[in-house]
Amino acid sequence: MAQSELSFLASELVAQLGGTLQGHDLRVRRLTSLQQATVDDISFLSNPRLRADALASCAGVLIVTEKTAQILGDGRTLIVADDPYLYFARVARLFHPVIKAKPGVHPTAVVAASAQLAADCEIGPHVVVGERTVIGSGSRLLAGVVVEDDCVIGTDCVLHANVVVYPGCRLGDRVELHSGSIIGADGFGLAWDKQDNYWYKIVQTGGVVLGDDVEIGANTTIDRGAIEDTVVENGVKIDNQVQIGHNDKIGAHTAIAGCTGIAGSTEIGPYCIIGGAAMIAGHLTIPAKTMIAAATPVSHSIKQADHYAAVYPLQTHKEWVKNAAYLRHLREMHHQLKKLEQLLMAQQTSEIVNQE
């Protein structure tokens, strides 16, 4: 992202975002890391392990907690906030405000006669808008976007280059789809034909519904439902290269990190956090506020919210080969242990009888 041309006094940031200003009221022109910051920059410290970096930083203004402010002492310009990371995110938005739509339709765009476009929406080069599709106020469809028939795009949405929205999908307000994401492709629905020995495709007649303030990462795919819709509720954030299967339901404000795969007909509750490369099987449920660690396989429904993880830690190949040899014999070892338990119980019972 290009450097912002905006600048702010520290007092202006506090006036807009809250917090407490300590030290001189300096003007800052850029938000950057502790290591790269100069006197004209603002940076933040949210991880206590980086306090040494904060002490050495040349940043003109630092966003810190009250405890860190006491450690840094006098002589620095500080903005004291309860959550420096969240404060940093809000400062970043001030430096890089949301780009507003440039109303108009590019001459290379192809827009169906029955489509309804808000007067202030932006339709970029080589965009295709299908029949009966509705594009809301302030929305931006950038280069190469395809929105097929009977779709609804809400207000102030951003569809980045080469996004594809299949027929009959509905997006709420302020939805952002990053480049290459595909909304509403067919779900993986197949029935095996025993007589002719081939997979018979099940027509996918549902759609995809995205709630308000949903953000979908680059090259992420969300399949349309087989009969009912696939639903992603308000405020959900999905990273790059994630697969959401048909008829899934993702609860409000859940966050899903990159390369996660979720099979069809799974319901994930609100406020969940799914780590990168998690693999979630189909036809199961995950309750609200569940955390699943990166690369964790989830093969059955979860009944109680908690922090779940199930991955072998990194090992050398030599160690893994040795452990794998034991894994292959777990069933046999289990039976042997059961026999030993039975023998031990029999021996203890015999001793008790003899004592009597």
Side-chain angles (χ1 to χ4, degrees):
M1 183 178 293
Q3 182 174 334
S4 172
E5 296 181 357
L6 299 174
S7 66
F8 298 91
L9 287 168
S11 59
E12 294 173 333
L13 297 176
V14 170
Q16 293 190 60
L17 304 177
T20 303
L21 175 62
Q22 296 183 9
H24 300 292
D25 189 11
L26 301 180
R27 181 170 293 279
V28 289
R29 293 175 170 79
R30 188 177 63 153
L31 178 66
T32 189
S33 67
L34 292 168
Q35 296 80 5
Q36 295 182 342
T38 69
V39 70
D40 292 327
D41 299 333
I42 182 171
S43 190
F44 71 100
L45 175 66
S46 61
N47 187 340
R49 290 179 294 181
L50 298 179
R51 282 176 182 154
D53 292 329
L55 287 166
S57 178
C58 296
V61 180
L62 285 174
I63 307 165
V64 297
T65 62
E66 178 67 38
K67 184 176 181 180
T68 301
Q70 295 173 1
I71 294 173
L72 293 177
D74 299 331
R76 300 293 299 260
T77 296
L78 307 174
I79 294 177
V80 181
D82 293 335
D83 187 340
Y85 190 67
L86 177 60
Y87 203 99
F88 142 77
R90 290 174 171 161
V91 171
R93 178 50 73 194
L94 290 178
F95 274 102
H96 302 279
V98 174
I99 298 173
K100 298 296 184 181
K102 299 176 181 177
V105 178
H106 194 275
T108 62
V110 178
V111 179
S114 60
Q116 301 177 39
L117 308 183
D120 61 348
C121 73
E122 176 182 347
I123 307 298
H126 305 288
V127 168
V128 176
V129 179
E131 299 286 353
R132 299 169 299 280
T133 283
V134 178
I135 309 297
S137 175
S139 288
R140 307 174 65 220
L141 277 57
L142 304 182
V145 166
V146 176
V147 181
E148 298 190 26
D149 299 344
D150 301 303
C151 291
V152 176
I153 308 296
T155 63
D156 298 317
C157 295
V158 181
L159 279 59
H160 291 275
N162 299 318
V163 163
V164 177
V165 181
Y166 278 65
C169 295
R170 304 190 300 279
L171 279 59
D173 299 332
R174 299 173 302 280
V175 171
E176 185 168 11
L177 306 180
H178 288 278
S179 292
S181 60
I182 298 177
I183 309 301
D186 280 357
F188 196 57
L190 303 166
W192 179 248
D193 187 330
K194 296 179 180 178
Q195 181 174 346
D196 294 328
N197 291 323
Y198 82 108
W199 291 107
Y200 190 89
K201 181 181 176 64
I202 299 171
V203 177
Q204 307 289 290
T205 59
V208 173
V209 177
L210 305 183
D212 298 339
D213 302 298
V214 167
E215 183 169 358
I216 306 297
N219 293 325
T220 282
T221 57
I222 302 179
D223 291 346
R224 68 192 311 107
I227 299 175
E228 299 179 355
D229 294 332
T230 301
V231 177
V232 178
E233 295 184 346
N234 294 347
V236 169
K237 309 299 181 185
I238 301 179
D239 198 2
N240 302 335
Q241 297 179 325
V242 171
Q243 160 68 18
I244 305 295
H246 60 178
N247 297 108
D248 284 344
K249 181 177 180 181
I250 311 299
H253 305 290
T254 283
I256 302 174
C259 297
T260 291
I262 304 175
S265 300
T266 282
E267 183 171 343
I268 297 176
Y271 300 100
C272 292
I273 298 175
I274 312 296
M279 291 290 108
I280 301 175
H283 300 272
L284 54 79
T285 58
I286 296 174
K289 299 183 179 179
T290 297
M291 295 180 64
I292 296 175
T296 297
V298 182
S299 59
H300 57 274
S301 292
I302 296 172
K303 295 183 179 180
Q304 182 175 348
D306 206 327
H307 188 178
Y308 294 89
V311 181
Y312 289 109
L314 181 69
Q315 299 175 316
T316 65
H317 182 263
K318 184 177 181 179
E319 290 173 323
W320 166 246
V321 169
K322 289 181 178 179
N323 288 328
Y326 293 115
L327 289 172
R328 286 198 299 269
H329 298 287
L330 280 178
R331 184 177 179 83
E332 180 183 341
M333 293 168 64
H334 170 74
H335 289 310
Q336 290 175 344
L337 283 172
K338 293 295 290 184
K339 289 180 180 179
L340 288 172
E341 286 178 354
Q342 292 169 357
L343 288 172
L344 182 60
M345 290 180 64
Q347 182 179 357
Q348 290 174 340
T349 301
S350 176
E351 291 176 352
I352 292 171
V353 170
N354 292 334
Q355 289 174 358
E356 291 177 352

